[in-house]
Amino acid sequence: MWRMLQGRHTLQPYHALSLTLNPPQCIVMSIWGGMKVEYRVLKGRIHSVGFQPDERLIPFLELAEFGSAALIRTFNLRYDLISALVERWSPETYTFHLPCSECTITLKDVALQLGLPIDGNAVTGVSLISRPACLCYDLLGRSPSEGKFANLWFSWLKANFEHLPSTGTELEVMQAARAYIMHLIGGVLMTDTHGSDVHLMYLPLLSDLHNTRSYSWGSAVLAILYRELCRTTDPSTVDIGGCLILLQSWALYRMPFLASISHQSYTFPLVNR
């Protein structure tokens, strides 16, 4: 969503900023008088579910309002584009600073592109669950361990819930739907940069799938993406989490000229901030 911020929109003289990949590990930025400065190409740890949900899961995914997000399949992320956007991100205003104005991803964008609810209760959970195995048995029908643990590995979720038995009961289908949503949350929508797993704190929010839709999942997705954009403005950061497919699709939708540019080069005019 484009917006003009009063008092911050200054169309001062600017110089062309050209971003190209050379070599693949870095971005070379050419400005003023041929001076070159190397920039990062950030890495992302995205773990797309990688398999389509059984058609019997669809009604339960839609009940929880994760039906649209479940349509996300494997995708190719343009990390050169994502890195270029990070260079234009301002942690002070949570906006991208571009020559024409400031712009940012809004809740409306999240709702339109991911179909997640943006109204309702805040997505919160306890960071330490006293009996994680009991919780998993109750909501998933199985547990990865009998001891203490705080995360579910994506490999475990896929191995146990990718193939639903043809004789599966309604309870088993519901359990598989919860597992699929957990994989979506940790692997696509609210990813971090620490591993191939999802925190167990989200699972209690899926106990009643009809009540799951009462949470503002879209707000949580956007907040984590904002947090990751702010974190990666630190030049020493090498990777980025958050819903990168949202960031990329927003950029290509709101700035369609980027879609016709080679994956190897993105150009934004440099403007004084």
Side-chain angles (χ1 to χ4, degrees), residues 14-205:
Y14 58 84
H15 300 268
L17 174 72
S18 178
L19 300 180
T20 57
L21 291 182
N22 182 28
Q25 291 79 14
C26 67
I27 292 180
V28 176
M29 180 181 70
S30 299
I31 58 176
W32 303 297
M35 182 178 67
K36 294 183 179 181
V37 180
E38 291 187 352
Y39 274 78
R40 308 156 292 165
V41 174
L42 296 165
K43 300 177 181 179
R45 295 182 180 179
I46 305 301
H47 306 276
S48 61
V49 179
F51 61 91
Q52 298 184 13
D54 188 290
E55 61 180 11
R56 289 169 289 176
L57 272 60
I58 301 301
F60 293 102
L61 296 174
E62 292 179 345
L63 177 64
E65 289 205 10
F66 277 84
S68 296
L71 297 176
I72 299 175
R73 301 290 180 260
T74 56
F75 42 80
N76 294 320
L77 289 172
R78 304 182 185 180
Y79 287 106
D80 46 357
L81 170 59
I82 290 170
S83 301
L85 289 170
V86 168
E87 297 301 330
R88 310 309 300 162
W89 178 257
S90 170
E92 291 78 20
T93 60
Y94 300 111
T95 58
F96 297 100
H97 285 232
L98 300 177
C100 56
S101 64
E102 297 177 40
C103 61
T104 194
I105 308 170
T106 67
L107 284 174
K108 182 178 180 180
D109 293 308
V110 178
L112 289 175
Q113 297 192 48
L114 300 178
L116 294 171
I118 57 175
D119 298 312
N121 302 319
V123 176
T124 58
V126 295
S127 58
L128 181 61
I129 296 176
S130 58
R131 303 173 66 187
C134 291
L135 176 66
C136 289
Y137 279 121
D138 288 343
L139 299 182
L140 300 177
R142 61 198 74 185
S143 175
S145 172
E146 298 300 327
K148 294 288 185 178
F149 58 94
N151 301 72
L152 295 176
W153 290 92
F154 299 138
S155 56
W156 181 83
L157 290 170
K158 183 176 181 179
N160 286 274
F161 297 99
E162 179 178 4
H163 302 292
L164 189 65
S166 58
T167 58
T169 64
E170 181 176 350
L171 176 60
E172 291 174 325
V173 173
M174 191 179 301
Q175 292 167 343
R178 295 191 185 104
Y180 199 90
I181 294 174
M182 287 292 285
H183 203 155
L184 272 177
I185 290 173
V188 178
L189 301 175
M190 291 186 273
T191 66
D192 60 32
T193 57
H194 304 297
S196 303
D197 52 29
V198 57
H199 201 285
L200 204 59
M201 66 180 179
Y202 299 110
L203 187 55
L205 304 181

